[in-house]
Amino acid sequence: MRIGSFYIEDKYHRWLYLAALCFTLASLPFYRAMSSIGVIVMAANWILEGHFREKWQRLKSNPGIWMLASFYLTGVLGVFYSEEFRQVVQHLQNGLAFLAAPLVIGTSRAISLKELKLILASISVSVLINSFVSYSIFAGFIDVQINTFRDYSYFSSNVHLTYLVIVTATTLFYLLRYHKSELTSGEYTLALALTGWMVIYVYFLRSFSGIITMSAVIWIVLFVRLLKIKHFIKYPVILLMLLAPLLPVYIFQQVYAKNFQDHEINLSELEKETARGNKYHHNLKNKLMENGHYVGLYNSRKELRKEWNKRSDIDFDAKDKKGQPLYATLIRYMTAKGLKKDAEGMKTLSSQDIRNVENGHTNPIYASPRNFYYNRFYTIAQSFDIYLKTGKPFDSVTKRAEAYQAMISIFKDHPIVGVGNGDIKKAYDNYFSNKYENADKMNLVGGHNQYLKILATFGLLGFAWFIFAFAGSWIVQKGHRFFMTRMVFFILLLAMISEVPLDQQRPAILFSIFLSIFLFSFKPIGERRKTDL
């Protein structure tokens, strides 16, 4: 394009376009403003490049481009019936990628296999850096305070990073499967190693929604491949694969039955005094349990305070390193170990136990990150137990259940056009305030399900538009015919069950770019020779 007397050749525009695309995706796990800058550069370069007649022709011949981009207009319409204008602006800013990516990528010259490999290389380097940092923190090579498993994702949310890793690993698998002949032996070996490393990294990051998504992707690929095998052995294997999703349900049931099954308490049979002659306090109304024991039984606060202050620099009446009341952490920890909360029980605690309580661990199983999967099942079982007994959400799982109820209630009150993207947060706050007296201290949030949030925010009309934009663009672009268009769309659909990727900047950029690349730009010539996964 010519700017005054200055002329930029098309090849330089192309290089800038690819550089911006690589920079945008590679910076996603780090500072999100960097990825936003990448999108802006990509869009500005698209405008400066010109060739609008060619771009208009591509837009007309690919109706899926404007169909997908049209969903952004639902947020624009929210301006007309939302009171909180700042929230509207925030929503539009976060979702801008779903307008820019389809238009820029879809109307630009198609991406070649060589360019796709360059894009993947940039993302892979970004993922590798993050994985090395995460593993270094885990091994203790980097001194960082770790409160939960989420802290191992140092630069960004572990959920957002997980979806980037899943999409990247899936794309690498695609190259291995459908473009093996077009890869050098070095490229093939490297892609294979990176795919395996990224799959392991997904499970290390420990996002339950990400783990479920990665497991579903692997399950589908293996299942479809298995159906192609002409051997009797496939039938018992197929049966095992069909039963495999029931395994987590079985584990959850076993953990719940072992640790949270209510049992009758006879107050007359409980000991009244400690070995030192002090009275025990038995709170039968406290139904909280740890490892099958009631937290409210056998408490001697007087003896605990005296013995604790002898062994720790953190005062008994202070807070632990997670900001929780130390007394509450201590009695839960001792209950989990099957101890009475008195001086004799304190004597049995090791120095490591004292450090665990100081660090905010309410149960010995939380002290080791290697117990993560059992820990997570235990935490979910405990949160459901407390939720059923008290009606109050305890952790992220039950808080999501509250969020779902809130969105359903808001939708029922505004079924046609919703409350608007500016007022959805206010609607959440009103719902929770009416339900709980101390809702502001419970850290309750809305969202966590894109489908319900669209219904609450934009009503039935907005949800119909959502189906038209996403499912419609996928259908008209024949997304069902190709592996990557199927898989990216499937991963997005799963992500929207537990997250709101269309309203959060990082996942919005990730999915808008990958959907646009494989729906509108990259031509999977090599895939046409194969019909299976």
Side-chain angles (χ1 to χ4, degrees):
M1 180 180 181
R2 184 177 297 279
I3 304 176
S5 59
F6 184 69
Y7 178 74
I8 303 176
E9 294 183 30
D10 286 344
K11 66 177 182 179
Y12 296 122
H13 279 295
R14 185 65 177 183
W15 291 350
L16 186 56
Y17 164 62
L18 293 172
L21 197 53
C22 291
F23 177 81
T24 300
L25 292 172
S27 62
L28 278 178
F30 298 103
Y31 189 45
R32 65 179 180 180
M34 294 166 60
S35 53
S36 298
I37 291 171
V39 173
I40 293 171
V41 171
M42 192 166 62
N45 177 71
W46 180 82
I47 295 172
L48 293 174
E49 184 183 32
H51 303 302
F52 294 114
R53 183 174 297 177
E54 297 174 15
K55 291 173 181 176
W56 173 246
Q57 292 301 320
R58 293 189 187 109
L59 183 62
K60 287 199 301 182
S61 61
N62 292 278
I65 297 175
W66 58 262
M67 290 173 71
L68 183 60
S70 73
F71 183 69
Y72 187 75
L73 296 179
T74 58
V76 176
L77 292 177
V79 173
F80 298 102
Y81 64 104
S82 294
E83 296 179 3
E84 300 291 335
F85 184 71
R86 289 181 60 185
Q87 293 296 322
V88 176
V89 173
Q90 182 68 41
H91 177 270
L92 293 176
Q93 179 182 335
N94 289 342
L96 186 60
F98 271 101
L99 174 66
L103 291 176
V104 173
I105 296 174
T107 60
S108 296
R109 182 158 48 88
I111 290 175
S112 66
L113 178 61
K114 182 179 179 181
E115 292 169 338
L116 179 63
K117 289 193 288 186
L118 176 65
I119 294 169
L120 272 178
S122 66
I123 308 173
S124 299
V125 169
S126 176
V127 170
L128 278 177
I129 292 172
N130 275 271
S131 67
F132 291 152
V133 171
S134 296
Y135 288 126
S136 296
I137 293 173
F138 176 76
F141 299 137
I142 298 178
D143 185 16
V144 175
Q145 177 65 39
I146 299 298
N147 293 319
T148 71
F149 63 90
R150 295 177 179 86
D151 294 329
Y152 292 119
S153 175
Y154 186 72
F155 299 106
S156 68
S157 160
N158 70 321
V159 178
H160 296 167
L161 178 57
T162 297
Y163 283 113
L164 174 65
V165 179
I166 292 173
V167 172
T168 305
T170 304
T171 311
L172 286 169
F173 173 80
Y174 164 75
L175 289 183
L176 293 169
R177 175 74 185 116
Y178 294 101
H179 295 280
K180 180 179 178 180
S181 61
E182 296 157 283
L183 300 177
T184 66
S185 59
E187 288 175 335
Y188 183 86
T189 302
L190 181 59
L192 186 62
L194 285 171
T195 303
W197 179 264
M198 290 182 188
V199 170
I200 294 171
Y201 189 41
V202 168
Y203 290 93
F204 174 84
L205 286 171
R206 307 171 190 188
S207 160
F208 241 44
S209 55
I211 288 171
I212 292 171
T213 302
M214 185 78 262
S215 300
V217 169
I218 294 172
W219 190 93
I220 288 173
V221 171
L222 291 177
F223 188 79
V224 174
R225 292 283 291 159
L226 187 63
L227 292 176
K228 303 293 181 178
I229 298 175
K230 296 180 179 180
H231 196 284
F232 75 91
I233 195 66
K234 77 177 184 180
Y235 297 107
V237 177
I238 287 175
L239 180 60
L240 287 174
M241 290 191 67
L242 291 174
L243 293 175
L246 297 177
L247 180 61
V249 178
Y250 173 77
I251 295 174
F252 174 83
Q253 187 274 332
Q254 292 296 306
V255 172
Y256 188 89
K258 177 182 177 182
N259 297 288
F260 303 104
Q261 198 72 43
D262 275 331
H263 51 269
E264 187 176 347
I265 303 171
N266 190 336
L267 184 60
S268 62
E269 296 178 358
L270 298 178
E271 296 177 36
K272 302 296 189 295
E273 295 182 350
T274 71
R276 298 187 179 185
N278 295 304
K279 288 186 178 181
Y280 279 123
H281 176 66
H282 299 296
N283 182 3
L284 300 184
K285 294 182 180 180
N286 185 353
K287 296 297 184 180
L288 179 65
M289 300 179 77
E290 293 287 354
N291 292 356
H293 306 288
Y294 284 105
V295 175
L297 304 182
Y298 294 107
N299 290 322
S300 175
R301 189 163 186 158
K302 177 181 178 181
E303 292 187 8
L304 286 181
R305 177 183 284 106
K306 182 178 180 180
E307 295 301 320
W308 173 266
N309 287 336
K310 289 180 182 179
R311 303 185 62 182
S312 175
D313 293 331
I314 300 179
D315 189 78
F316 179 82
D317 295 308
K319 293 184 177 181
D320 61 36
K321 293 180 181 179
K322 287 186 179 180
Q324 307 162 142
L326 188 136
Y327 167 68
T329 302
L330 176 61
I331 63 171
R332 286 180 61 184
Y333 190 93
M334 295 180 70
T335 302
K337 289 179 70 71
L339 301 174
K340 295 174 182 177
K341 281 74 76 177
D342 57 16
E344 301 305 312
M346 275 293 301
K347 287 181 180 180
T348 66
L349 295 182
S350 66
S351 298
Q352 182 60 55
D353 289 326
I354 298 297
R355 286 196 296 271
N356 290 341
V357 174
E358 290 174 340
N359 289 330
H361 297 305
T362 57
N363 192 307
I365 65 172
Y366 298 142
S368 173
R370 294 173 179 82
N371 293 332
F372 167 74
Y373 288 102
Y374 178 81
N375 295 355
R376 196 63 182 130
F377 277 110
Y378 181 91
T379 304
I380 294 173
Q382 186 176 57
S383 67
F384 272 104
D385 181 60
I386 295 174
Y387 194 49
L388 291 173
K389 291 175 179 176
T390 67
K392 294 183 179 181
F394 181 66
D395 76 342
S396 61
V397 175
T398 47
K399 285 179 180 179
R400 290 185 185 207
E402 284 292 313
Y404 299 161
Q405 293 179 44
M407 289 183 287
I408 292 171
S409 176
I410 294 167
F411 165 67
K412 288 180 178 179
D413 291 339
H414 306 83
I416 305 303
V417 295
V419 295
N421 50 343
D423 296 344
I424 185 65
K425 185 179 182 301
K426 182 179 179 181
Y428 289 144
D429 293 341
N430 290 338
Y431 174 86
F432 293 135
S433 296
N434 291 332
K435 189 170 184 178
Y436 299 109
E437 292 182 2
N438 59 339
D440 56 325
K441 298 179 181 179
M442 296 174 66
N443 197 27
L444 296 169
V445 293
H448 287 299
N449 183 296
Q450 189 72 69
Y451 308 105
L452 291 178
K453 187 175 182 183
I454 290 173
L455 283 170
T457 306
F458 301 117
L460 289 172
L461 290 179
F463 194 79
W465 199 335
F466 160 73
I467 298 296
F468 167 79
F470 285 85
S473 63
W474 187 76
I475 291 171
V476 300
Q477 296 296 138
K478 298 181 173 58
H480 62 283
R481 293 179 55 187
F482 304 108
F483 176 82
M484 280 308 299
T485 48
R486 290 195 299 267
M487 297 311 295
V488 174
F489 193 60
F490 174 70
I491 293 169
L492 175 61
L493 293 180
L494 283 183
M496 289 193 289
I497 295 175
S498 59
E499 302 296 331
V500 282
L502 307 187
D503 301 331
Q504 296 172 322
Q505 198 170 56
R506 284 189 175 104
I509 292 173
L510 170 68
F511 285 109
S512 64
I513 287 179
F514 270 90
L515 272 177
S516 299
I517 287 175
F518 290 106
L519 275 179
F520 314 129
S521 186
F522 181 72
K523 306 300 180 183
I525 297 174
E527 188 175 351
R528 295 172 188 169
R529 297 192 294 268
K530 301 179 181 181
T531 58
D532 62 338
L533 287 174

